[in-house]
C-alpha cells in the first residue's frame, strides 16, 4: 500500500493499490467530470455527497474513531473520496498522521493497538490509508474505487494511539485535528440488460460498455459467454470483461480477458449473489479506432430447493391442496414437513431450506431461531441451509455469533459435518471443495466431528446483507458410509451489540453517527481488545485491591487538618475538610474497575462532590491564611464555594474553573499580607519559626502536589500519584492553617437575659450567635 503524502496546487502523487482497481491519489484536484454535476461522458453522470467535519481523537478504543456513513447508489462505476484534514491550534500542534479506514457494508474492524480478539472470532484486516499532517495546516488526499458495490460504505478516521499521560483540560494549549470526507460518484445511466439465455448483440468502441444481469434467488451457477466475436483491428476477441463489484477490505471481482482464451470465451460463477443485479463491464483492447462486435449470453443454473415447512403454518395458508381420500392437507413436492424427527430423501434437491424466524429484541440485538424445531437435519448429499436476514441497514453495528452443536449419539467416528457462513449467497459446492468460497465472497468455515461436537463463530460488524449458514455431512475416508447417515445439529444464532457485554472488565456502549447505531467496548483495569478479553496489560485482583486501598485510605490524611482546625476553632474549615475526605474516599471507591468497587451514591454525584470538596478545601485554606474579618471571610467562603459549584457544572474537567477562584483567593491573601507588612513595617508573619516549620514546608508540599497533579499523572501510575496528591494536599492544609489569636477566650458570654437567652460573643472570630 502506498503511503500518503501532502502536496500543493495541482501537483499529483499517485500509487497503484491493489492492482488496477484502486488508486490512491494525494493532493490532486478532481477532474472536470467529478466537479460538474451534469454528464461527464456518454451515459455517465456524477453526484456529490458530503458530511459535516468531525474533530479527531487519539485512539484508545473504538469510540475514539470518527465514523462516516455514505450511501453509494446502484450502477456506480467510480467513486472518489476526497479526504481533507485541517489543523487548528497554531504552534501548539505537532506533526500527526491520520489513519483512515474503508469498508463496504459495515463499519471497519480496526485494531490500532495490536490487541487480541476473542476466541473463535474471524476478522479481516481493514483497508486503510495514512494521511500525514506536518508543516502545512491543511492536507488533502483522495481514494478511488472502480466498480464499487452499491449500498453502505463506511469511513473511520482516528489519530495515533493516545499516550498514557493524563492531560488536564485547559492547562496546556489545545490542538484540534478536523477531518472531513466528501464523496464523488460517477454513475452509469445507459446500461444494457442481459436476459437469461438470450444473446445480446453488442459493439464496443473506444469507451467501455456496461451491462447487467439479474440473479434471482436459488441460482446455483451463472455462466457468462461471448459468442460471434469479430474485431476490426486484431485477430481473436480483444475484449476484457470485469464482472462484479469491488468490496473493501477484500476484493473478489472477476476479470476475464478473451484475447488468448479458448473459444468461446466463458466465465463460470458458482453461487453468485442472489436477488440483485450483477454488473458487467466490457472494454475493447484494440485501441481507440478499432471496433469489436460480439454477443453476450448469460445462462443461469437454477437450484431446486426443498423447503421445510411446519404444519401449523401450512394449515393457515389459503393455498392448500387436500387429499381426496384422507381429507388432510398434502404438501407440494418442494415443501415437505420433516416434523421434529421425520426423514426425507434429500437427493432430488440441491439444498434443504430451513425457514428461520427473526426476533428483534433490542437495538442491534436479534435472535434467529428455527420455526417449530430446535435442530437442523444434515444430510450427506444435499446441503442444509438457513437464511439470516441482516439486511435492514441497522444490523451491521453488532456482532453475529453462531454456535453449532451436533447430536452426540448420531455422530460417528468417520463422519464430519462441514458448515459455511456466507453473505449474499450460500456455499453449495461441498462435494467439490470445502473452502466456502462463493462467486464474490470468502465464507467462514466450521466443522463438527465426533471429537469436537461444538463449533463457534463470531463475526464483528457483519456486512449488511442476507447471510446464509449451509451444512453438509461428509465422510472423507469412505463416502459410502455416509449414504444413510443423518445428524441433527442444534444452532444458536444471535446478533448482539457486544460479545458477553464486554465481560467483567468492560462496558458495552452504544455509539451513534446521525441515525446509525453501533456498539463498542470500553475496557478498564488494564484489559484491552475488541471485547476486553486481552489481559496482556491487565491488573490482577490484588493490584486492584491495593489501588483502591491507596486511593481511599490516603484520604485519611485529612484527619490532620480537621484536628488542627478544631483545635484552633476553625469549625467551618474543619467541616469543609471532613466533607472533602468523605466524598473523596467514596468517589475513589466507586471509580475503581473490576471487583473492588463500592458505590454508596450515583457515580456522577460522587464525582461532582469530590471535585467540589477539593476546590472548596483549597479556597477556604487560602482565605483562612489571609486573616480577614470574620464576616468578610465567611461571605467569601460562601460566594467562592457557589462560584466553584457553578463552574464545575459548566465544565467539570476544566482546570481553570477551579484554579481561577483559587488564584483570586491567593491575590486576596497576598494583598492582606502586604498590607500588614507595610502597616507593621516588618515581615508578616513575624515569627521565623512560623516560616521555618509551617509555611515553607506547607508551601513545598503544595507545590510538589500541584506539580504531580498537573504533569506527572499517567494511566499506569494514577493510583500512586493521585494518592500522593491526597497526602500532600491534606498535609499542606494542616501546616498552612494560621494559629489562633490569644487575646480573648473563645465563646465568652457577655450578657445574660432573664428570658434564658444568651448573646455569646467570640472576640477572636467576631461572631455573634444566639443559643
Amino acid at each position: 500500500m502506498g503511503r500518503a503524502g501532502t502536496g500543493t496546487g495541482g501537483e499529483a502523487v499517485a500509487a497503484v493499490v491493489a492492482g488496477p482497481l484502486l488508486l490512491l491519489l494525494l493532493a490532486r484536484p478532481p477532474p472536470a467530470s467529478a466537479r460538474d454535476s451534469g454528464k461527464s461522458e456518454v451515459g455517465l453522470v456524477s453526484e456529490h455527497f458530503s458530511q459535516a467535519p468531525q474533530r479527531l481523537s487519539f485512539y484508545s478504543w473504538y469510540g475514539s474513531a470518527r465514523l462516516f456513513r455514505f450511501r453509494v447508489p446502484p450502477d456506480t462505476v467510480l467513486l472518489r473520496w476526497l479526504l481533507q484534514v485541517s489543523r487548528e491550534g497554531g504552534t501548539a500542534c505537532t506533526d500527526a498522521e491520520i489513519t483512515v479506514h474503508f469498508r463496504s457494508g459495515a463499519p471497519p474492524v480496526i485494531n490500532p493497538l495490536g490487541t487480541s480478539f476473542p476466541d473463535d472470532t474471524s476478522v479481516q484486516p481493514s483497508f486503510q490509508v495514512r494521511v500525514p499532517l506536518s508543516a502545512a495546516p491543511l492536507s488533502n488526499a483522495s481514494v478511488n474505487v472502480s466498480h464499487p458495490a452499491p449500498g453502505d460504505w463506511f469511513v473511520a478516521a482516528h489519530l495515533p494511539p493516545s499516550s498514557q499521560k493524563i492531560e488536564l483540560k485547559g492547562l496546556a494549549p489545545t490542538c484540534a485535528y478536523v477531518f472531513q470526507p466528501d464523496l464523488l460518484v460517477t454513475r452509469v445511466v445507459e446500461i444494457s440488460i442481459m436476459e437469461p439465455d438470450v444473446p445480446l448483440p453488442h459493439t464496443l468502441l473506444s469507451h467501455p460498455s456496461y451491462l447487467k444481469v439479474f440473479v434471482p434467488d436459488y441460482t446455483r451457477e451463472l455462466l457468462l459467454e461471448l459468442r460471434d466475436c469479430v474485431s476490426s483491428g486484431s485477430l481473436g476477441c480483444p475484449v476484457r470483461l470485469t464482472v462484479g463489484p469491488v468490496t473493501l477490505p477484500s476484493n473478489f471481482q472477476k476479470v476475464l480477458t478473451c484475447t488468448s482464451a479458448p473459444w468461446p470465451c466463458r466465465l463460470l460463477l458458482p453461487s453468485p449473489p442472489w436477488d440483485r443485479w450483477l454488473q458487467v463491464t466490457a472494454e475493447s483492447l484494440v485501441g481507440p479506432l478499432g471496433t469489436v462486435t460480439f454477443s453476450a449470453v448469460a445462462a443461469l443454473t437454477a437450484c431446486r430447493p426443498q423447503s421445510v415447512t411446519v404444519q401449523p403454518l401450512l394449515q393457515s395458508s389459503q393455498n392448500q391442496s387436500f387429499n381426496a381420500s384422507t381429507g388432510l392437507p398434502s404438501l407440494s413436492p418442494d415443501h415437505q414437513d420433516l416434523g421434529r424427527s421425520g426423514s426425507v430423501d434429500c437427493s432430488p434437491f440441491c439444498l434443504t431450506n430451513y425457514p428461520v424466524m427473526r426476533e428483534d429484541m433490542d437495538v442491534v440485538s436479534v435472535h434467529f431461531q428455527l420455526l417449530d424445531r430446535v435442530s437442523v437435519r444434515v444430510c450427506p448429499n444435499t446441503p442444509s441451509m438457513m437464511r439470516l436476514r441482516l439486511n435492514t441497514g441497522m444490523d451491521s453495528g453488532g456482532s453475529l455469533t453462531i454456535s453449532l452443536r451436533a447430536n452426540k449419539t448420531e455422530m460417528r467416528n468417520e463422519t464430519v459435518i462441514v458448515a459455511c457462513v456466507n453473505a449474499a449467497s450460500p456455499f453449495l459446492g461441498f462435494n467439490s471443495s470445502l473452502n466456502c468460497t462463493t462467486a464474490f465472497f470468502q465464507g467462514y468455515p466450521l466443522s463438527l466431528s465426533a471429537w469436537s461436537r461444538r463449533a463457534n463463530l463470531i463475526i464483528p460488524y457483519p456486512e449488511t446483507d442476507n447471510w446464509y449458514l449451509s451444512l453438509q455431512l461428509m465422510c472423507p475416508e469412505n463416502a459410502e458410509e455416509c449414504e444413510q447417515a443423518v445428524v441433527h445439529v442444534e444452532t444458536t444464532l444471535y446478533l448482539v451489540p457486544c460479545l458477553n457485554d464486554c465481560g467483567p472488565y468492560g462496558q458495552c456502549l452504544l455509539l451513534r453517527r446521525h441515525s446509525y447505531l453501533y456498539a463498542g467496548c470500553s475496557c478498564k483495569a488494564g484489559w484491552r481488545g475488541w471485547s476486553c478479553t486481552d489481559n496482556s496489560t491487565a491488573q490482577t485482583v490484588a493490584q486492584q485491591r491495593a489501588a483502591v486501598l491507596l486511593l481511599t485510605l490516603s484520604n485519611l490524611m485529612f484527619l490532620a487538618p480537621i484536628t488542627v482546625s478544631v483545635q484552633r476553632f476553625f469549625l467551618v474549615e474543619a467541616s469543609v475538610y471532613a466533607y472533602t475526605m468523605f466524598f473523596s474516599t467514596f468517589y475513589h471507591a466507586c471509580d475503581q474497575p473490576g471487583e473492588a468497587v463500592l458505590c454508596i451514591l450515583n457515580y456522577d454525584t460522587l464525582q461532582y462532590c469530590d471535585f467540589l470538596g477539593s476546590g472548596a478545601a483549597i479556597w477556604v485554606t487560602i482565605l483562612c491564611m489571609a486573616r480577614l474579618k470574620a464576616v468578610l471571610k465567611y461571605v467569601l467562603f460562601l460566594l467562592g464555594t457557589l462560584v466553584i459549584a457553578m463552574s464545575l457544572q459548566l465544565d467539570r474537567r476544566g482546570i481553570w474553573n477551579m484554579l481561577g477562584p483559587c488564584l483570586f483567593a491567593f491575590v486576596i491573601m497576598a494583598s492582606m499580607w502586604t498590607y500588614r507588612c507595610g502597616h507593621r513595617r516588618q515581615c508578616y508573619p513575624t515569627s521565623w519559626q512560623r516560616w521555618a516549620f509551617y509555611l515553607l514546608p506547607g508551601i513545598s508540599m503544595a507545590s510538589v502536589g500541584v506539580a504531580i497533579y498537573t504533569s506527572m499523572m499517567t494511566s499506569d501510575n494514577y493510583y500512586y500519584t493521585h494518592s500522593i496528591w491526597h497526602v500532600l494536599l491534606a498535609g499542606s492544609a494542616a501546616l498552612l492553617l494560621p494559629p489562633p489569636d490569644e487575646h480573648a477566650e473563645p465563646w465568652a458570654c457577655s450578657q445574660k437575659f432573664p428570658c434564658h437567652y444568651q448573646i455569646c460573643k467570640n472576640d477572636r472570630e467576631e461572631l455573634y450567635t444566639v443559643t
Side-chain angles (χ1 to χ4, degrees), residues 488-500:
H488 289 80
V489 177
E490 296 182 6
T491 61
T492 304
L493 311 170
Y494 280 95
L495 177 71
V496 295
C498 303
L499 183 64
N500 296 329

Side-chain angles (χ1 to χ4, degrees), residues 57-73:
S57 299
F58 290 95
Y59 189 87
S60 59
W61 66 293
Y62 199 87
S64 307
R66 297 295 175 258
L67 188 68
F68 298 84
R69 182 190 185 193
F70 291 92
R71 185 74 177 178
V72 176

Side-chain angles (χ1 to χ4, degrees), residues 215-499:
V215 181
D217 281 344
Y218 302 106
T219 298
R220 187 162 194 165
E221 292 178 345
L222 170 62
L223 177 63
L224 296 176
E225 183 177 348
L226 297 186
R227 301 176 182 174
D228 305 327
C229 185
V230 178
S231 173
S232 63
S234 65
L235 299 176
C237 186
V239 177
R240 180 170 59 227
L241 292 181
T242 304
V243 184
V246 170
T247 58
L248 297 180
S250 59
N251 176 35
F252 292 91
Q253 189 180 52
K254 302 297 188 295
V255 178
L256 175 64
T257 303
C258 298
T259 304
S260 59
W263 193 254
C265 188
R266 296 173 177 173
L267 177 63
L268 181 63
L269 300 175
S271 296
W274 290 357
D275 193 27
R276 69 194 62 190
W277 290 94
L278 186 63
Q279 189 179 99
V280 180
T281 303
E283 299 175 89
S284 174
L285 303 178
V286 298
L289 301 179
T291 61
V292 180
T293 60
F294 61 88
S295 295
V297 182
L300 301 175
T301 302
C303 172
R304 184 189 179 193
Q306 176 193 19
S307 181
V308 179
T309 311
V310 293
Q311 189 73 18
L313 293 180
L314 286 177
Q315 293 177 352
S316 63
S317 175
Q318 299 298 324
N319 300 322
Q320 293 181 355
S321 59
F322 288 84
N323 188 302
S325 59
T326 61
L328 297 177
S330 61
L331 302 178
S332 62
D334 293 350
H335 298 268
Q336 300 194 25
D337 181 19
L338 301 186
R340 297 184 180 270
S341 60
S343 61
V344 66
D345 184 14
C346 303
S347 55
F349 307 95
C350 69
L351 62 87
T352 303
N353 182 27
Y354 285 83
V356 177
M357 181 182 69
R358 173 190 167 114
E359 179 184 4
D360 291 277
M361 305 175 66
D362 206 337
V363 179
V364 201
S365 181
V366 181
H367 179 209
F368 296 97
Q369 55 183 342
L370 294 167
L371 291 177
D372 196 36
R373 67 190 68 244
V374 295
S375 61
V376 176
R377 184 175 181 273
V378 183
C379 300
N381 299 320
T382 305
S384 299
M385 186 200 74
M386 302 171 61
R387 181 186 307 208
L388 313 179
R389 299 187 181 273
L390 295 174
N391 55 354
T392 64
M394 301 299 294
D395 302 324
S396 57
S399 295
L400 177 62
T401 63
I402 298 176
S403 179
L404 306 178
R405 185 170 69 91
N407 191 306
K408 181 178 180 180
T409 59
E410 296 175 342
M411 288 294 294
R412 303 176 184 176
N413 294 336
E414 64 277 1
T415 59
V416 176
I417 295 178
V418 181
C420 291
V421 180
N422 294 74
S425 61
F427 178 75
L428 303 176
F430 290 99
N431 296 328
S432 58
S433 175
L434 300 178
N435 57 7
C436 295
T437 302
T438 58
F440 302 104
F441 190 84
Q442 174 58 56
Y444 304 95
L446 293 171
S447 63
L448 302 173
S449 63
W451 299 273
S452 178
R453 296 185 299 108
R454 293 178 179 270
N456 300 304
L457 176 64
I458 303 169
I459 305 175
Y461 294 163
E463 290 92 333
T464 298
D465 212 326
N466 287 326
W467 285 74
Y468 298 89
L469 171 63
S470 51
L471 308 93
Q472 186 168 332
L473 189 64
M474 309 290 293
C475 288
E477 298 181 358
N478 188 358
E480 297 180 356
E481 297 180 0
C482 284
E483 293 181 357
Q484 302 299 326
V486 172
V487 178
H488 289 80
V489 177
E490 296 182 6
T491 61
T492 304
L493 311 170
Y494 280 95
L495 177 71
V496 295
C498 303
L499 183 64

